[in-house]
Amino acid sequence: MKILMVLTSHDQLGDTGKKTGFWLEEFAAPYYALKDAGAEVVLASPKGGQPPIDPSSDSEDSQTDATRRFKDDKDAQADLADTAVLADVQDAGFDAIFYPGGHGPLWDLAEDADSIRLIETFAASDRPVGAVCHAPAVFKHTKGADGKPLVNGKRVTGFTNTEEDAVQLTDVVPFLVEDMLKANGGQYEKSDDWASFAITDGKLVTGQNPASSEAAAEQLLALLK
C-alpha cells in the first residue's frame, strides 16, 4: 500500500494575528495507523517542506499516545520536514489519499487546484479518499464524474458547527465545514462533540474531529484490504 497524505501550508488564523496549521494528533495518529499496517506514506503540502503545526495542538493538554510517539521519532520528524510540493505530485502509484485537519486547510487546501485535481482523480478511479475534522474542507469545490459536488448524496461528517463555536472561531473561519458539506448535498451526520466518529460511504471516508483521526485512518485501511 502506498498512501498520499496531504497537509496544509497555511499558518495564519484569519486576521487574528494568531498561528494555525495542521492539528498534530490528526497527522500523527493516521500516520502511525497507516505505517503500522505496512503502508508507505508519502507526505505533501502546497508549499512543500515543513508544514506548520497548529500551536494549540502542540500544547501539553493536547498530547496523545500518537503525538508522544512522534516526538520520539526522528525519522517521522524528518519525513514531515521534507514534504513534497503538491503541484509536483502525480496520482500514479498511490492507492489512497488522506487529509489531516487543523484550521489551515480551510484557507489553502479548500481552494487549491492541485488538491482538487488529485481528489477528483482518485475518486474517478475508485480509490479511497479520506479527510478528518476540518480537512473535509477540501471537498468544497471537488466534483464527481457526474459534475455534481463529490459529497453530493454521500454520508459525510466533519468538524461540527457546535465544536467550532466551542473553540470560539465561528466568526474567524472563512466557512463552516458542516454548513459547506450540507450546501454541497452531503448527508451530514455527527456524534457528540469531541467524540470519535467516522463514516465510510463507498470510497469516501470522513472523520468528525481530532478524536476521530485514528478511526478515519482505520476505515481508509479497511477499504484497501
Side-chain angles (χ1 to χ4, degrees):
M1 295 180 291
K2 187 176 181 182
I3 298 170
L4 179 62
M5 187 180 284
V6 183
L7 297 127
T8 182
S9 292
H10 185 86
D11 69 352
Q12 297 297 314
L13 189 61
D15 56 7
T16 63
K18 296 179 180 177
K19 293 291 189 180
T20 189
F22 71 90
W23 199 260
L24 187 56
E25 159 71 6
E26 296 171 33
F27 159 72
Y31 179 83
Y32 287 119
L34 300 173
K35 295 275 279 191
D36 291 349
E40 177 187 353
V41 180
V42 175
L43 305 179
S45 62
K47 295 181 180 177
Q50 173 72 52
I53 298 173
D54 187 310
S56 297
S57 73
D58 207 17
S59 66
E60 187 54 41
D61 61 355
S62 296
Q63 299 311 302
T64 65
D65 289 345
T67 64
R68 283 186 283 269
R69 181 176 171 185
F70 173 73
K71 300 281 189 182
D72 292 331
D73 188 341
K74 298 300 184 188
D75 290 340
Q77 292 169 29
D79 203 14
L80 182 65
D82 192 29
T83 66
V85 176
L86 192 58
D88 296 337
V89 177
Q90 301 300 317
D91 68 285
F94 288 103
D95 299 298
I97 188 170
F98 186 86
Y99 287 79
H103 282 88
L106 294 170
W107 280 275
D108 64 351
L109 291 172
E111 310 293 336
D112 189 280
D114 297 302
S115 176
I116 294 166
R117 165 182 59 83
L118 283 165
I119 293 169
E120 291 180 348
T121 301
F122 273 83
S125 52
D126 201 34
R127 284 175 286 176
V129 176
V132 66
C133 197
H134 285 90
V138 301
F139 303 127
K140 185 179 181 184
H141 300 299
T142 53
K143 300 286 196 289
D146 58 2
K148 297 178 181 178
L150 184 64
V151 299
N152 183 66
K154 291 188 170 67
R155 296 175 61 220
V156 289
T157 191
F159 206 59
T160 68
N161 288 355
T162 47
E163 286 169 329
E164 199 69 81
D165 195 48
V167 296
Q168 301 181 323
L169 291 173
T170 300
D171 296 328
V172 173
V173 294
F175 62 91
L176 296 168
V177 173
E178 178 181 335
D179 287 355
M180 180 275 293
L181 291 171
K182 290 176 178 175
N184 277 359
Q187 297 176 8
Y188 182 84
E189 300 177 26
K190 61 183 178 181
S191 183
D192 295 336
D193 285 0
W194 315 114
S196 176
F197 183 65
I199 293 175
T200 298
D201 189 328
K203 295 293 177 69
L204 183 65
V205 178
T206 47
Q208 179 177 318
N209 50 32
S212 313
S213 55
E214 186 169 359
E218 289 171 350
Q219 290 189 25
L220 189 83
L221 281 167
L223 295 174
L224 296 171
K225 292 177 179 175

